[in-house]
Amino acid sequence: MATDTASDAGTTTTSEPLHINGQSQLDEVVAEHDVVLTDFYADWCGPCQMLEPVVETLAAETDAAVAKVDVDANQQLAGAYGVRGVPTLILFADGEQVEEIVGVQGEEQLRSLIGRYTE
């Protein structure tokens, strides 16, 4: 399976959410980007579907990279981060987990949260 990772990514951001498949891929994304908003979601989850356009907008318009983790396909990864409900958003800054939010959040609240770590 090929992954779309640029070798010179450094602190650059991506304008679309990155779909994560496994711990090693999430570790790579967290290591490559200063701030990563990780959306643990499920396709069958109504609130997750409501949050999806917000997450896509944040990927396009903020300095944070956005990662999406399908909890059904990545049960071990979700368990490793203590995800018990979806959607769960985990924010990483400088390689460390700094925030965790469960449930649907508004775009402005998430934008403000990201801004605290990107400014």
Side-chain angles (χ1 to χ4, degrees), residues 34-76:
D34 291 339
V35 177
V36 180
L37 179 66
T38 308
D39 175 16
F40 288 85
Y41 75 99
D43 289 334
W44 47 262
C45 164
C48 299
Q49 293 168 6
M50 290 170 40
L51 187 62
E52 188 167 357
V54 172
V55 169
E56 289 175 355
T57 299
L58 293 171
E61 297 180 2
T62 69
D63 290 334
V66 175
K68 291 184 65 72
V69 178
D70 181 339
V71 296
D72 291 328
N74 294 280
Q75 292 178 3
Q76 283 187 313

Side-chain angles (χ1 to χ4, degrees), residues 14-52:
T14 57
S15 60
E16 293 183 3
L18 304 166
H19 290 270
I20 302 298
N21 191 16
Q23 182 72 57
S24 62
Q25 190 178 12
L26 180 58
D27 290 345
E28 284 178 29
V29 170
V30 169
E32 286 177 9
H33 302 279
D34 291 339
V35 177
V36 180
L37 179 66
T38 308
D39 175 16
F40 288 85
Y41 75 99
D43 289 334
W44 47 262
C45 164
C48 299
Q49 293 168 6
M50 290 170 40
L51 187 62
E52 188 167 357

